Amino acid sequence: MGSVVDAANKEVNGTSSAKKPTVIFVLAGGPGSGKGTQCAYIVEHFGYTHLSAGDLLRAEIKSGSENGTMIQNMIKEGKIVPSEVTIKLLQKAIQENGNDKFLIDGFPRNEENRAAFEKVTEIEPKFVLFFDCPEEEMERRLLGRNQGREDDNIETIRKRFKVFLESSLPVIQYYEAKGKVRKIHAAKPIDDVFQEVKAVFSPEAEKVAGQWHLY
């Protein structure tokens, strides 16, 4: 009799009992950290699907949907797009994809994003991949690849870095307390950075996950 009840409960709570996808949050202090390049390598070498919160919002706007128009208007008015809107786009992308391993890039940006994501999706990330790159190095990289708009670039980096310290750092600290942060020293050359990334994704790293700490 119990087994019938259990089966019925599983049927009713299909979303809860179904195997949840593996999610890794990818965060960095600002543009020029190299996380986009590293995400592409992770996709190629480890079979993850890369989901960028920003790209999903832009695609929704481009689609001309009612939701997209709402997002566009909010951005134009300088308002922050509600967490639930971004989370629903991420959730839809996860559900429509045949993969079960995802890199979520550029989200959560703050504690409210984080709490809402876990509540709405009932998914807790496997870990947070944090690309730690000094502000000066990000400036140097962006100035090297974008000649002619140096002031704008530096201003953008400094604003993003300030926002990171105020909003995103608490997210890193929250997951660090749970032993879920993998810090990558992103100021090194691309191949050297990927060696660090590969070490994080190797089976051996899984066994000693509890020993990783921010420092």
Side-chain angles (χ1 to χ4, degrees):
M1 187 76 179
S3 60
V4 174
V5 173
D6 290 342
N9 285 340
K10 278 190 180 178
E11 189 68 35
V12 172
N13 300 314
T15 52
S16 300
S17 59
K19 185 177 180 291
K20 289 186 170 58
T22 297
V23 165
I24 293 168
F25 289 146
V26 183
L27 297 174
S33 66
K35 71 178 169 62
T37 300
Q38 297 300 324
C39 281
Y41 284 179
I42 295 166
V43 168
E44 183 183 345
H45 286 80
F46 298 102
Y48 279 75
T49 294
H50 180 210
L51 298 178
S52 161
D55 286 351
L56 288 172
L57 287 168
R58 284 186 284 274
E60 190 68 18
I61 291 169
K62 198 174 177 182
S63 75
S65 70
E66 190 176 329
N67 196 34
T69 303
M70 180 270 290
I71 294 167
Q72 187 173 33
N73 289 337
M74 291 196 76
I75 292 170
K76 275 183 184 173
E77 292 166 16
K79 294 178 182 174
I80 295 170
V81 177
S83 295
E84 286 72 17
V85 172
T86 307
I87 291 163
K88 279 179 183 171
L89 291 176
L90 287 166
Q91 213 172 13
K92 185 176 178 221
I94 288 170
Q95 287 165 353
E96 291 178 353
N97 192 291
N99 204 351
D100 63 351
K101 301 189 296 184
F102 297 90
L103 301 174
I104 295 185
D105 183 359
F107 189 92
R109 290 190 179 276
N110 54 45
E111 267 291 281
E112 193 268 331
N113 282 172
R114 177 202 65 72
F117 181 88
E118 291 191 10
K119 183 180 178 185
V120 172
T121 67
E122 296 184 353
I123 296 170
E124 193 171 318
K126 186 174 184 181
F127 58 82
V128 176
L129 195 61
F130 172 44
F131 288 95
D132 185 29
C133 192
E135 192 175 4
E136 299 76 21
E137 176 62 18
M138 289 190 287
E139 286 181 15
R140 189 188 68 76
R141 289 178 180 179
L142 282 192
L143 294 181
R145 73 186 187 207
N146 295 321
Q147 298 299 327
R149 296 185 58 193
E150 298 183 2
D151 292 341
D152 287 350
N153 287 330
I154 289 174
E155 195 60 33
T156 299
I157 298 163
R158 288 176 182 165
K159 278 182 184 171
R160 287 275 292 275
F161 201 74
K162 186 171 182 285
V163 169
F164 169 77
L165 291 175
E166 291 172 354
S167 302
S168 302
L169 195 56
V171 176
I172 303 276
Q173 291 166 336
Y174 173 85
Y175 286 118
E176 167 60 10
K178 299 178 78 122
K180 287 193 165 198
V181 172
R182 310 291 181 266
K183 180 180 175 181
I184 304 296
H185 295 87
K188 297 185 290 189
I190 291 172
D191 289 344
D192 292 350
V193 173
F194 189 55
Q195 289 306 312
E196 269 197 55
V197 170
K198 278 203 292 190
V200 168
F201 282 83
S202 72
E204 291 76 19
E206 303 295 321
K207 296 172 190 171
V208 294
Q211 296 175 19
W212 289 76
H213 296 284
L214 263 179
Y215 48 89

